[in-house]
Amino acid sequence: MGTIKCIGILTSGGDAPGMNAAIRAVTRSAIYNGLQVKGIYRGYKGLLTGEIKEFKSQNVSNIIQLGGTILKTARCKEFTTPEGRQIAYENMKKEGIDALVIIGGDGSLTGARIFAQEFDVPCIGLPGTIDNDLFGTDTTIGYDTALNTILDAVDKIRDTATSHERLFFVEVMGRDAGFLALNGAIAAGAEAAIIPEISTEVDQLEELIKNGFRKSKNSSIVLVAESPITGGAMHYAERVKNEYPGYDVRVTILGHLQRGGSPTAHDRILASRLGAAAIDAIMEGQRNVMIGIDHDEIVYVPFTKAIKNDKPIKKELINVLRELSI
Ligand code: ADP
């Protein structure tokens, strides 16, 4: 694509550790390949307000280890309207930006898909979300770091759970996806994970109690994925109080601490590879795809596929947790 001379980069939606590593990779790889780079601040909002600045290699120095995003992120309601996107397009043209790299989750990539279609703008997406809920990529930028943060927290909660012989419900993020809860539970050696993917199939609490999860143990930790489908940790604690009053139950909601922190080696490498691949994709003339990793190979996933399909949870993981928590 000889016509692409300048790319714009933005981070949008929920922040995730490793977004900075991705910004660095996209910027440096673009410059390496002779492209000009412009950083767009506060997600799509920056496109509407013209908060855009040229990025040189040194603008992304010393950020690979930082959580959050130096470009800031935001949610932008105006961008969901045709009028808002028209302003975004005009600003983009005014700045001489020929293509966009969007780092974000499901919502951000949905916006990119619509924008790309309306204005025939090449858009490349990078999966940046702790939830790991994008189809077509094994993992997303930020997921591994969040998982490790959860692990650290649950290890600490276990100390107090054991001392007091309590049942703890620990609520983790995930936005309708159970990856953090399930893999967090496996890694932390928790007794169970309550996840949206199986919430509608069985009463997970009843199953837990029925299986006698406390028979040989003096404490129990259950990870609950925050979601309207599961009802969250408070919902389960209330149920235990009402239906199984013998248990001394407590709730911890991990909340926003899961989004912060220095990215793990895994997330830094993932973000670096995906960022460099985004520029390769642009140079190859690809458009409107998310860059993903599948069996350790870079793949291009059309936006429609990445957004529309639910990423399945492996049954094997559910079984591993069940078998190992006896
Ligand atoms: P995430 O990318 O983390 O899933 P959001 O769902 O909040 O975060 O989406 C981030 C931003 O993407 C929104 O604030 C909006 O600007 C844009 N966006 C989301 N959905 C749409 C849509 N259907 N049309 C246009 N823009 C959208």
Side-chain angles (χ1 to χ4, degrees):
M1 287 289 281
T3 51
I4 293 178
K5 294 194 180 70
C6 174
I7 63 142
I9 174 170
L10 61 88
T11 49
S12 165
D15 64 311
M19 278 184 161
N20 281 325
I23 294 168
R24 172 181 176 271
V26 171
T27 302
R28 295 241 164 116
S29 179
I31 293 169
Y32 181 86
N33 285 285
L35 298 172
Q36 195 188 8
V37 182
K38 294 206 171 171
I40 300 157
Y41 285 80
R42 298 182 169 78
Y44 293 119
K45 203 176 249 178
L47 265 185
L48 273 102
T49 57
E51 219 182 328
I52 299 167
K53 172 177 144 180
E54 178 157 7
F55 266 27
K56 300 286 187 198
S57 185
Q58 56 272 27
N59 289 97
V60 293
S61 293
N62 210 12
I63 64 167
I64 196 168
Q65 76 282 16
L66 302 178
T69 156
I70 60 157
L71 281 174
K72 314 283 183 198
T73 182
R75 298 205 153 87
C76 177
K77 218 160 173 233
E78 299 94 303
F79 195 76
T80 61
T81 67
E83 298 76 24
R85 290 193 294 274
Q86 179 70 39
I87 298 170
Y89 177 71
E90 280 161 18
N91 278 335
M92 190 184 142
K93 288 286 115 186
K94 206 161 73 192
E95 287 284 342
I97 297 170
D98 307 307
L100 288 178
V101 177
I102 297 103
I103 308 168
D106 194 62
S108 303
L109 300 192
T110 303
R113 183 188 64 74
I114 295 167
F115 189 62
Q117 204 175 19
E118 264 175 0
F119 297 100
D120 197 24
V121 169
C123 290
I124 302 291
L126 294 186
T129 165
I130 64 166
D131 303 331
N132 195 30
D133 60 349
L134 287 161
F135 182 87
T137 186
D138 289 342
T139 75
T140 55
I141 297 164
Y143 169 65
D144 185 66
T145 306
L147 201 51
N148 278 285
T149 302
I150 290 169
L151 192 56
D152 193 42
V154 174
D155 284 348
K156 289 183 172 120
I157 290 167
R158 186 176 290 288
D159 291 343
T160 177
T162 317
S163 305
H164 284 282
E165 306 191 326
R166 277 174 178 155
L167 163 59
F168 261 91
F169 287 104
V170 181
E171 185 175 297
V172 301
M173 287 183 167
R175 201 160 77 161
D176 295 341
F179 296 100
L180 285 173
L182 181 59
N183 283 316
I186 292 173
E191 276 57 45
I194 294 176
I195 59 174
E197 288 85 348
I198 51 175
S199 277
T200 49
E201 289 171 25
V202 286
D203 183 341
Q204 293 174 83
L205 180 63
E206 199 183 287
E207 200 179 57
L208 206 69
I209 305 276
K210 214 169 58 201
N211 289 346
F213 72 108
R214 252 191 113 186
K215 267 185 204 141
S216 57
K217 298 182 179 182
N218 66 3
S219 73
S220 291
I221 293 180
V222 176
L223 266 64
V224 184
E226 151 210 87
S227 154
I229 301 169
T230 63
M234 291 301 284
H235 165 72
Y236 279 92
E238 279 303 314
R239 275 196 59 194
V240 170
K241 271 186 204 154
N242 294 331
E243 297 169 36
Y244 309 96
Y247 293 99
D248 186 11
V249 58
R250 292 289 186 279
V251 168
T252 300
I253 295 172
L254 294 186
H256 281 85
L257 75 86
Q258 294 165 89
R259 285 194 189 281
S262 180
T264 58
H266 178 279
D267 275 335
R268 296 184 200 194
I269 295 166
L270 178 69
S272 300
R273 289 180 70 188
L274 296 181
I279 299 304
D280 290 343
I282 286 175
M283 305 291 283
E284 283 169 21
Q286 289 282 342
R287 42 166 63 205
N288 314 335
V289 293
M290 179 192 83
I291 313 291
I293 289 263
D294 184 7
H295 294 88
D296 204 37
E297 297 291 337
I298 296 286
V299 287
Y300 300 151
V301 190
F303 282 151
T304 40
K305 250 182 143 178
I307 300 156
K308 283 238 173 70
N309 294 301
D310 282 337
K311 187 168 174 175
I313 285 252
K314 279 200 182 119
K315 195 105 186 110
E316 174 228 328
L317 294 174
I318 296 169
N319 291 337
V320 165
L321 180 61
R322 272 203 193 119
E323 283 177 24
L324 303 189
S325 60
I326 54 172

